[in-house]
Amino acid sequence: MPIFVEGSEEEIKMTTKQEFKGVAELLWKPHTTQVRVRYGETDAMGYVYYGNYALYFEVGRNETMRKLGFPYGRIEEYGIMMPVVDMHLHYDSAAHYDDLLDITTGVLELHAASMIFGYIVSRAADRARLVYGTTTLAFVDSTTRKPVRVPELVRERIGIPQ
Amino acid sequence: MPIFVEGSEEEIKMTTKQEFKGVAELLWKPHTTQVRVRYGETDAMGYVYYGNYALYFEVGRNETMRKLGFPYGRIEEYGIMMPVVDMHLHYDSAAHYDDLLDITTGVLELHAASMIFGYIVSRAADRARLVYGTTTLAFVDSTTRKPVRVPELVRERIGIPQ
Amino acid sequence: MPIFVEGSEEEIKMTTKQEFKGVAELLWKPHTTQVRVRYGETDAMGYVYYGNYALYFEVGRNETMRKLGFPYGRIEEYGIMMPVVDMHLHYDSAAHYDDLLDITTGVLELHAASMIFGYIVSRAADRARLVYGTTTLAFVDSTTRKPVRVPELVRERIGIPQ
Amino acid sequence: MPIFVEGSEEEIKMTTKQEFKGVAELLWKPHTTQVRVRYGETDAMGYVYYGNYALYFEVGRNETMRKLGFPYGRIEEYGIMMPVVDMHLHYDSAAHYDDLLDITTGVLELHAASMIFGYIVSRAADRARLVYGTTTLAFVDSTTRKPVRVPELVRERIGIPQ
């Protein structure tokens, strides 16, 4: 259950990860970054290997966190790590070597000790949507590896009313 | 909607990918294979990087297909490729460098032009479940890259009555 | 034996791969591109995994080839592939997650059916050199996979007198 | 300069990394282990991506260290890490998806604070040599990340007279 509430200064969307089918309008505070497909990321089919989208999601998520003002490196300085605890990917179409890809990443849900990002990967040349998906990240103490509450900085920058 | 039917010579399970929460009994024709975690598969948290489980799923799927009598290499010789069109992973616990992992893979659903595998990754030393998930694979013509029906060989070896 | 000759319109350097110890001045037509270290590229030591520099070299080489006017995609359209047949890497210092890296790539040797690139990877923040190395690439026919002569386009853009 | 000396109870070989051209007889205490090529390790050429041999070398090295009695995990328990500081690979021929590969790994040189392994990767089916190479590993303190002497256990198991 997302803790997003309606009626705050901005209209806050409440999309659950189940509802997310790759529609950009449902992403909260979306940010788009680009990657170019490396040869080593393709496979013998001539496509990007399906597992490598986890790397692209990571790039999208990191740049979005940086843009929002809480780069992952700073989170780790707080003694907090954010392991991925759930991931879903849906593949509409394939990417090829040297394709320039847009990765649009935004927040879907914010919980007490976790958050869910949504992702849309599309080909920059023709804006065709290739892959969409979600990742759920837990907040854990780097030393004890036990769950901790989402830091105030993160909540603030995401723009959730206190 | 799975096409598995009940009442055939063997009791056939009908688990949908939504229902699969990592319970081995729900996998049809399961097979277990092992991988040992490579240093290059870990990340700075000291865990296996979340995206690398796609490689482990691939190993489990390939060995299970080989065991069932339709190794992926033979499928490709038929002029058929099996791209992954959907993947879900759920991470219960982390694997570390040099851990020996059991990957149990079985069939969850068989459709006209696709099939769904379920996976359970556990640590061999204490049988702790680390990750479970599903992948949906389409059958496509290698040349046209259009969907084709699941080959008879595959249906037969999976043991679905005609 | 490099075919570079002296006394052409530009002073042409003749560095062999054995002589290359990471000095940028010895690279012919160098170009610098950047990559940011992904979490999935680090390992449990907290460093970039040593094998992943092959990916960074690939990025540097591809962007340099694009800059020189013969992007690798165009080479493949000519029915030519360029497999790597030899690689050397020397690691001076380690890169960490989120580091921004400069990859400087240039030509070291041009032979009848192969070419050798040299690479220097340094940290953008303090210009510390982290890794240097070389790769030898063969030119082969995509169909027969037999060696072919370096295409005229490549020789021309590298600026070797005919 | 290798510290191997002749005339001990066993005839001790002294191959330098420069001399190593993929001849198994020059490897000290060789051990062979196998890997099967994963789809995700191939690239759009249909071959194993050149950078992925670093992973195969790692597997060969780790299993050889385990066999010799000093598994890498135990080294790390001593508070010592072994980063790779130099690597050379030479590619004779290509590996394909599902190929079963033999990785023969042995010691080439042992120095005060580093050691050099040699590797030969061949296809199990026809024993064709595909790749050979070397890696130089430093011994460093896990905390200070400064060089330390090769542990006594390692020297002993490699069979160098004191």
Side-chain angles (χ1 to χ4, degrees):
Chain A
M1 187 197 66
I3 64 157
F4 283 163
V5 294
E6 306 224 11
S8 58
E9 75 227 76
E10 304 183 69
E11 178 69 9
I12 297 182
K13 299 176 198 70
M14 293 180 67
T15 310
T16 65
K17 66 177 174 172
Q18 282 76 15
E19 289 162 357
F20 184 66
K21 305 291 183 202
V23 175
E25 285 67 31
L26 296 177
L27 296 172
W28 179 250
K29 304 236 171 176
H31 174 68
T32 299
T33 189
Q34 291 192 319
V35 295
R36 191 180 280 281
V37 173
R38 301 170 180 176
Y39 212 87
E41 292 164 354
T42 61
D43 65 22
M45 281 191 208
Y47 300 151
V48 169
Y49 183 66
Y50 79 116
N52 288 331
Y53 287 93
L55 281 164
Y56 297 168
F57 281 11
E58 183 216 307
V59 172
R61 179 168 71 242
N62 288 351
E63 294 311 318
T64 298
M65 288 172 68
R66 195 189 314 279
K67 182 79 185 319
L68 286 171
F70 53 95
Y72 185 67
R74 192 183 303 179
I75 297 287
E76 286 208 337
E77 285 167 18
Y78 283 2
I80 291 174
M81 296 190 325
M82 292 174 62
V84 174
V85 295
D86 195 87
M87 174 162 64
H88 172 248
L89 298 105
H90 190 83
Y91 306 83
D92 287 321
S93 188
H96 297 81
Y97 166 65
D98 211 38
D99 280 351
L100 195 59
L101 306 180
D102 285 328
I103 306 168
T104 301
T105 310
V107 179
L108 285 180
E109 300 182 40
L110 186 64
H111 297 264
S114 66
M115 67 185 294
I116 300 177
F117 287 95
Y119 309 82
I120 300 165
V121 180
S122 52
R123 193 162 43 220
D126 62 1
R127 297 178 164 276
R129 190 182 71 190
L130 306 180
V131 174
Y132 65 82
T134 65
T135 60
T136 304
L137 291 98
F139 289 78
V140 302
D141 182 291
S142 305
T143 309
T144 64
R145 309 263 160 144
K146 299 288 180 195
V148 294
R149 288 188 65 79
V150 175
E152 203 58 36
L153 171 70
V154 172
R155 308 183 75 80
E156 207 173 90
R157 297 302 174 91
I158 291 176
I160 307 302
Q162 303 311 314
Chain B
M1 188 196 68
I3 64 158
F4 284 162
V5 294
E6 305 225 10
S8 58
E9 76 229 72
E10 304 183 68
E11 178 70 8
I12 296 182
K13 299 177 197 70
M14 293 180 68
T15 310
T16 64
K17 66 176 173 174
Q18 282 75 16
E19 289 162 357
F20 184 66
K21 305 291 184 203
V23 175
E25 285 68 30
L26 296 178
L27 296 173
W28 178 250
K29 303 237 171 176
H31 175 67
T32 299
T33 190
Q34 291 193 318
V35 295
R36 189 180 283 281
V37 173
R38 301 170 180 176
Y39 212 88
E41 293 165 352
T42 61
D43 65 20
M45 279 190 209
Y47 300 151
V48 168
Y49 184 64
Y50 79 118
N52 288 332
Y53 287 93
L55 282 163
Y56 298 168
F57 281 11
E58 184 216 307
V59 172
R61 179 169 70 243
N62 287 351
E63 294 311 318
T64 298
M65 288 172 68
R66 194 188 316 278
K67 182 78 185 318
L68 286 171
F70 53 95
Y72 186 67
R74 192 183 303 178
I75 298 285
E76 287 209 337
E77 285 168 17
Y78 283 2
I80 292 175
M81 296 190 325
M82 293 174 62
V84 175
V85 296
D86 196 87
M87 175 163 63
H88 172 249
L89 299 105
H90 190 81
Y91 306 84
D92 287 321
S93 188
H96 297 81
Y97 166 64
D98 212 38
D99 280 351
L100 195 59
L101 306 181
D102 286 327
I103 306 169
T104 301
T105 310
V107 179
L108 284 180
E109 299 182 41
L110 185 65
H111 297 265
S114 67
M115 67 186 293
I116 300 178
F117 287 95
Y119 309 82
I120 301 165
V121 180
S122 52
R123 193 163 42 219
D126 62 1
R127 297 176 165 276
R129 190 182 71 188
L130 306 180
V131 174
Y132 65 83
T134 65
T135 61
T136 304
L137 291 97
F139 289 78
V140 302
D141 182 291
S142 303
T143 310
T144 64
R145 309 261 159 146
K146 298 288 180 195
V148 294
R149 287 188 65 80
V150 175
E152 204 57 35
L153 171 70
V154 173
R155 307 181 76 78
E156 206 173 89
R157 296 303 173 90
I158 291 176
I160 306 303
Q162 305 307 315
Chain C
M1 188 195 66
I3 65 159
F4 284 162
V5 296
E6 307 225 10
S8 59
E9 74 227 77
E10 304 184 68
E11 178 67 12
I12 297 184
K13 297 174 199 71
M14 293 180 66
T15 310
T16 65
K17 65 176 175 172
Q18 282 75 16
E19 290 163 359
F20 184 67
K21 306 290 184 205
V23 175
E25 286 66 32
L26 297 177
L27 296 173
W28 179 251
K29 303 239 172 175
H31 174 68
T32 299
T33 190
Q34 291 192 318
V35 295
R36 190 180 282 281
V37 174
R38 301 170 182 176
Y39 212 88
E41 292 164 355
T42 61
D43 65 20
M45 280 190 209
Y47 299 152
V48 169
Y49 183 66
Y50 78 117
N52 288 332
Y53 287 93
L55 281 164
Y56 298 167
F57 280 12
E58 184 217 306
V59 172
R61 178 169 73 242
N62 288 352
E63 294 310 317
T64 298
M65 289 172 69
R66 195 191 313 279
K67 183 82 184 315
L68 286 170
F70 52 95
Y72 184 69
R74 195 183 301 179
I75 298 286
E76 286 209 337
E77 285 167 18
Y78 283 2
I80 292 174
M81 297 189 326
M82 295 174 63
V84 175
V85 296
D86 196 87
M87 175 162 64
H88 173 247
L89 298 106
H90 190 83
Y91 306 84
D92 288 320
S93 187
H96 297 81
Y97 166 65
D98 211 39
D99 280 352
L100 195 60
L101 306 180
D102 285 329
I103 306 169
T104 301
T105 310
V107 180
L108 284 179
E109 299 181 43
L110 185 66
H111 297 265
S114 66
M115 68 185 295
I116 300 178
F117 287 95
Y119 309 82
I120 301 164
V121 180
S122 52
R123 193 163 41 218
D126 62 1
R127 295 176 166 278
R129 191 182 70 188
L130 306 180
V131 173
Y132 66 83
T134 65
T135 60
T136 304
L137 291 97
F139 289 78
V140 302
D141 182 290
S142 304
T143 309
T144 66
R145 310 262 160 146
K146 300 286 179 197
V148 294
R149 287 188 67 78
V150 175
E152 205 56 37
L153 171 71
V154 172
R155 307 182 78 78
E156 208 173 87
R157 298 302 175 88
I158 291 176
I160 306 302
Q162 304 309 314
Chain D
M1 192 195 63
I3 64 159
F4 284 163
V5 295
E6 305 223 12
S8 58
E9 76 230 71
E10 304 183 68
E11 177 69 9
I12 296 183
K13 299 176 197 68
M14 292 181 65
T15 310
T16 65
K17 65 176 174 173
Q18 282 76 15
E19 290 163 357
F20 185 67
K21 305 291 184 203
V23 175
E25 286 67 31
L26 296 176
L27 296 172
W28 179 252
K29 304 236 170 177
H31 174 68
T32 298
T33 189
Q34 291 192 319
V35 295
R36 190 180 281 282
V37 173
R38 301 171 181 176
Y39 213 89
E41 292 164 355
T42 62
D43 64 21
M45 281 192 208
Y47 299 152
V48 168
Y49 183 67
Y50 79 118
N52 288 332
Y53 287 94
L55 282 163
Y56 298 167
F57 281 12
E58 184 217 306
V59 171
R61 179 168 71 243
N62 288 351
E63 294 311 317
T64 298
M65 289 172 68
R66 195 190 314 280
K67 182 81 185 317
L68 286 170
F70 52 94
Y72 185 67
R74 194 184 301 179
I75 298 286
E76 287 210 336
E77 284 167 19
Y78 283 1
I80 292 175
M81 296 190 325
M82 293 174 62
V84 175
V85 295
D86 195 86
M87 173 163 63
H88 172 249
L89 298 106
H90 190 81
Y91 306 84
D92 289 320
S93 187
H96 297 81
Y97 166 65
D98 211 39
D99 280 351
L100 195 59
L101 305 179
D102 285 329
I103 307 168
T104 301
T105 310
V107 179
L108 285 179
E109 300 181 41
L110 185 65
H111 296 266
S114 66
M115 68 185 294
I116 300 179
F117 287 95
Y119 309 82
I120 301 165
V121 180
S122 52
R123 194 164 38 220
D126 63 1
R127 296 178 165 275
R129 191 183 69 190
L130 306 180
V131 174
Y132 66 83
T134 64
T135 59
T136 305
L137 290 98
F139 289 78
V140 302
D141 182 291
S142 305
T143 309
T144 65
R145 309 261 160 147
K146 299 286 181 198
V148 294
R149 289 187 64 79
V150 175
E152 204 56 38
L153 171 71
V154 172
R155 308 182 77 79
E156 206 174 274
R157 297 302 174 91
I158 290 175
I160 306 303
Q162 303 310 314

